[in-house]
């Protein structure tokens, strides 16, 4: 059997779980310390692997969740043993094939709200500047006021124009803000009150950025030419 067959089997198992309990998403991950503000359960699969299941704020499946979690845990462990692999493929499954842009933006905002809820944080932003164009606000934890709008624009430009040694990405550590560039021409910015723990903030921002790179491609337009291959978001099935 091929690697694609393994991915298909894992994807099918996760899809059945998502449909059964009405989850927002189910994803295989390599750590259990993601703290993004989105309600979720993380289940240990053994071997340093975990299943992260994002739950909706409201669900009618409370009575089926625990049995479903126990069943999917056994099922994924059995798949790994049968295939004799050390790691399962990092696949993410969500309901529906292509979510609307509004839904994607709402998901991004939810992650930012979780980030803005950490100690000494007041707001968080995702900014994009395609091909050096003026920075554009993709989403924020809450609507920025005039002063915050001016700050995120200034911080975004600095992050895009600053590169760490040996890296194409930049990081800005100010007394009242933290900013980092990531993915393709994107920046994640958090407004903070001094003093704050830079290691903790950096750690949380990197985890959130890791989740956002799965969502940001869904905001890109589909190819205009008929001959182009339709974009397939890498995170949904």
């Amino acid at each position: 059997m091929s690697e694609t067959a393994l991915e298909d089997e894992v994807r099918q198992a996760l899809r059945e779980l998502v449909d059964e309990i009405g989850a927002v998403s189910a994803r295989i991950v390599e750590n259990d310390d993601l703290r993004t503000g989105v309600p979720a359960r993380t289940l240990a699969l053994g071997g340093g692997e975990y299943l992260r299941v994002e739950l909706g704020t409201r669900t009618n499946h409370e009575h089926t969740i625990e049995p479903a979690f126990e069943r999917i845990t056994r099922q994924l462990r059995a798949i790994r043993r049968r295939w004799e692999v050390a790691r399962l493929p990092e696949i993410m499954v969500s309901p529906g094939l292509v979510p609307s842009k509004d839904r994607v933006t709402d998901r991004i905002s939810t992650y930012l709200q979780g980030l803005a809820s950490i100690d000494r944080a007041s707001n968080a932003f995702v900014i994009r500047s395609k091909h050096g164009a003026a920075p554009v606000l993709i989403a924020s934890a809450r609507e920025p006021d005039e002063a915050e709008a001016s700050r995120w624009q200034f911080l975004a430009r600095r992050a895009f124009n600053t590169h760490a040694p040996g890296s194409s990405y930049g990081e800005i550590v100010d007394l009242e803000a933290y900013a980092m560039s990531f993915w393709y021409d994107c920046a994640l910015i958090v407004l903070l009150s001094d003093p704050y723990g830079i290691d903790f903030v950096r750690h949380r921002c990197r985890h959130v950025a890791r989740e956002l790179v799965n969502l940001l491609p869904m905001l890109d337009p589909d190819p205009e030419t008929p001959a182009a291959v339709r974009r397939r978001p890498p995170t949904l099935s």
Side-chain angles (χ1 to χ4, degrees), residues 6-185:
L6 168 60
E7 293 177 356
D8 289 344
E9 187 172 354
V10 174
R11 185 176 291 108
Q12 180 62 32
L14 297 182
R15 183 182 297 114
E16 291 174 357
L17 173 70
V18 167
D19 292 343
E20 178 181 357
I21 67 175
V24 175
S25 69
R27 179 182 179 186
I28 306 293
V29 297
E30 290 189 2
N31 61 71
D32 65 343
D33 61 348
L34 291 174
R35 299 291 185 271
T36 60
V38 177
R41 286 282 298 275
T42 304
L43 311 172
L45 300 176
E49 248 180 349
Y50 300 87
L51 171 63
R52 177 178 169 82
V53 182
E54 290 187 3
L55 304 169
T57 54
R58 297 181 180 179
T59 177
N60 297 321
H61 304 270
E62 291 88 349
H63 64 288
T64 64
I65 287 179
E66 294 304 327
F69 282 166
E70 183 177 352
R71 183 166 58 253
I72 189 64
T73 300
R74 292 198 306 266
Q75 185 177 2
L76 292 173
R77 289 172 178 169
I79 292 173
R80 189 170 58 199
R81 287 194 301 269
R82 187 169 64 254
W83 280 82
E84 298 181 346
V85 293
R87 299 281 185 184
L88 293 172
E90 290 194 23
I91 291 173
M92 179 176 176
V93 171
S94 294
L97 290 176
V98 181
S100 68
K101 290 187 177 181
D102 286 343
R103 180 184 166 197
V104 173
T105 302
D106 288 344
R107 288 283 302 281
I108 293 174
S109 295
T110 301
Y111 283 113
L112 297 178
Q113 289 164 13
L115 190 57
S117 69
I118 65 176
D119 185 41
R120 313 197 76 80
S122 58
N123 209 345
F125 313 89
V126 171
I127 316 298
R128 193 166 190 186
S129 175
K130 288 187 177 181
H131 311 298
V136 175
L137 179 64
I138 300 299
S140 59
R142 62 176 179 80
E143 189 69 24
D145 58 28
E146 185 175 347
E148 290 177 336
S150 177
R151 290 183 68 190
W152 73 247
Q153 293 179 51
F154 174 69
L155 290 164
R157 290 188 177 93
R158 289 181 60 194
F160 290 135
N161 292 317
T162 302
H163 302 292
S167 173
S168 59
Y169 297 107
E171 179 185 63
I172 303 297
V173 181
D174 279 354
L175 291 177
E176 297 182 341
Y178 175 82
M180 57 173 283
S181 59
F182 70 103
W183 199 55
Y184 296 107
D185 305 317

Side-chain angles (χ1 to χ4, degrees), residues 195-215:
Y196 62 89
I198 180 57
D199 290 339
F200 173 73
V201 172
R202 180 186 289 121
H203 177 74
R204 289 292 297 273
C205 284
R206 288 177 177 175
H207 277 310
V208 170
R210 188 181 305 166
E211 299 299 313
L212 296 184
V213 297
N214 295 311
L215 296 170

